[in-house]
C-alpha cells in the first residue's frame, strides 16, 4: 500500500503542475479559464492566481496522504488528469 501511495501522490503534484502549465498556454492563446473559481482568482489576484491553484493541489495531496484506500487515491489521480488532457487537446486544436 505505501509503495502505491508513494507513486500516486507525486502524480497528483505532477498533474497539478501540468494543469498549471497547460492552462497558462491556453491563456496565452487568448482563451479563458473554464473553472469559475480559478477565473475569479485570476480576476482578483492577477498574476498571483497560481497561488490558490497550486495550494489546492498541495491540500489535495495532504488529504490523500491520510487515505488508507489506494483505489480511492487512484480515482483522484485519474480525475486530476482530465484537465490536463483537456488542455492538451485544446492546445493541439489551435496549432
Amino acid at each position: 500500500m505505501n509503495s502505491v501511495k508513494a507513486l500516486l501522490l507525486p502524480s497528483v503534484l505532477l498533474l497539478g503542475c501540468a494543469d498549471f502549465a497547460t492552462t497558462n498556454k491556453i491563456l496565452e492563446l487568448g482563451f479563458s479559464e473554464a473553472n469559475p473559481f480559478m477565473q475569479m482568482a485570476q480576476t482578483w489576484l492577477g498574476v498571483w492566481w497560481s497561488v490558490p491553484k497550486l495550494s489546492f493541489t498541495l491540500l489535495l495531496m495532504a488529504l490523500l496522504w491520510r487515505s488508507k484506500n489506494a483505489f480511492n487515491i487512484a480515482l483522484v489521480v485519474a480525475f486530476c488528469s482530465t484537465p490536463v488532457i483537456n488542455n492538451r487537446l485544446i492546445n493541439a486544436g489551435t496549432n
Side-chain angles (χ1 to χ4, degrees), residues 2 18 20-21 37 41 44 47-49 51 53 64 73 75 77 84-86 90:
N2 283 337
F20 175 70
F37 296 110
W44 288 356
V47 296
W48 292 96
W49 73 275
V51 172
K53 186 163 189 102
L64 288 175
I73 297 172
L75 282 176
V77 171
V84 177
I85 294 168
N86 183 55
I90 291 171

Side-chain angles (χ1 to χ4, degrees), residues 1-78:
M1 168 63 184
N2 283 337
S3 61
V4 173
K5 187 188 282 191
L7 180 67
L8 290 174
L9 286 178
S11 299
V12 172
L13 181 61
L14 180 67
L15 288 168
C17 291
D19 179 27
F20 175 70
T22 56
T23 299
N24 274 340
K25 181 65 176 168
I26 287 174
L27 294 174
E28 288 173 8
L29 294 172
F31 293 95
S32 63
E33 172 69 61
N35 180 344
F37 296 110
M38 287 299 114
Q39 193 174 39
M40 184 173 51
Q42 288 171 350
T43 302
W44 288 356
L45 301 173
V47 296
W48 292 96
W49 73 275
S50 60
V51 172
K53 186 163 189 102
L54 296 177
S55 297
F56 177 73
T57 300
L58 294 175
L59 174 66
L60 184 62
M61 285 180 66
L63 293 173
L64 288 175
W65 181 256
R66 298 178 51 84
S67 176
K68 304 278 191 252
N69 189 338
F71 180 75
N72 289 345
I73 297 172
L75 282 176
V76 172
V77 171

